[in-house]
Each structure stands twice: as structure tokens, then as C-alpha cells.
Amino acid sequence: KVEEDTIALRFNTAIAQMMELCNHLTSAKTVAKSTLLTFAKILCPYAPHIAEEVANRLGFEGVLSVVDWPEFDEALCVDNTITIVVQVNGKKRAELEIAKSTPREDYEGLARANDDVKRHLENFDVKKVIAVPGRLVNFAGKPT
């Protein structure tokens, strides 16, 4: 995204993307040295002195402004998990992180295994289960 925005002369949005990455990295428990060095390479056209200082502190030998631009690997950007909402009579009771490849038929079982959902289904007569792939599971019925 930063590369596309830089080529298109959309510098504000490129900087916004770098700020978003910076916020993400500061909230992480650990960050790999190679990730920080890649960030310094991306930052270099916008803040060369700071980028060079960061690279030197990371142990980079040489001049950062003459190295190749980092290659984009789309496979690393693919998210393999999704968040689905579990509802009981239309009221949100839980959120589940599941694999993107999980078949729709398994949604109900995963939802029923959640402790919050179990608690709400204890005294509940389920008449209908609606599972929308990638979105939600809703248990419809009435209390017993």
C-alpha cells in the first residue's frame, strides 16, 4: 500500500499506512528485527535521517537509502481466520475466531461449545439454527 501510494504521489495516505503499522508494532509483545528493518526501509524516502538511525541501531551496515525496496508477498497478507458472531434470539452472546475454511455445517457445533453460549442455551428450547457462512450463527427459540 505504501509503495502504491508513493508511486501515485498520495503521500498523506502512505504516511497514514506507516502510522497504522507503527501503532500495530508498538502494541505487539515482540517484533522481529527484520520487521523493524523493513519498516525502516519503507520509512526512508519520507524520513531518511530517522530511518538511517533506526537501521544503524538495528545493526544494519551501510546506507539504507540505496538498498532495494522491500518485496511485497501477498501470501503473508492473507488472513486465514474469521470472526463470527453467535446470537441467541438475535442478541449477541459471543464471538468466535474460526478458520476461514471451516464448513458451514460445523458452525453450530463450534458455537454450542462456547461457554457463554452454553450458559444462554441451558434453559432454552432451540427451534431453529441459522448459520450464515463467514458472518454469524443464530439460535432461535424460546426459554423453557
Side-chain angles (χ1 to χ4, degrees):
K1 179 74 174 136
V2 174
E3 180 178 11
E4 289 173 9
D5 289 344
T6 302
I7 291 169
L9 304 177
R10 292 188 302 256
F11 303 124
N12 288 346
T13 55
I15 291 169
Q17 290 298 315
M18 287 186 279
M19 290 171 61
E20 189 175 317
L21 175 62
C22 187
N23 289 338
H24 177 73
L25 293 176
T26 54
S27 66
K29 291 180 182 176
T30 59
V31 179
K33 199 175 192 180
S34 61
T35 301
L36 293 175
L37 188 56
T38 300
F39 178 67
K41 290 176 185 178
I42 294 170
L43 179 65
C44 192
Y46 294 91
H49 295 91
I50 293 171
E52 293 287 352
E53 179 69 25
V54 169
N56 285 338
R57 289 185 183 209
L58 291 171
F60 179 75
E61 303 270 335
V63 181
L64 194 63
S65 59
V66 296
V67 299
D68 291 335
W69 186 261
E71 290 293 319
F72 173 67
D73 186 1
E74 192 170 341
L76 295 175
C77 296
V78 175
D79 195 4
N80 294 327
T81 61
I82 55 172
T83 303
I84 62 167
V85 174
V86 181
Q87 299 175 335
V88 177
N89 270 352
K91 293 182 182 175
K92 180 180 169 184
R93 300 301 181 192
E95 286 186 357
L96 301 176
E97 286 283 324
I98 63 170
K100 209 177 219 180
S101 61
T102 303
R104 178 180 166 208
E105 297 79 33
D106 295 346
Y107 281 25
E108 181 182 350
L110 292 168
R112 286 183 184 270
N114 182 282
D115 291 335
D116 291 331
V117 176
K118 279 183 191 177
R119 188 170 42 93
H120 284 94
L121 293 179
E122 281 177 356
N123 298 318
F124 192 79
D125 184 26
V126 178
K127 298 287 185 191
K128 187 176 183 182
V129 178
I130 301 168
V132 180
R135 304 284 309 273
L136 66 88
V137 175
N138 184 44
F139 295 97
K142 60 182 180 179
T144 55

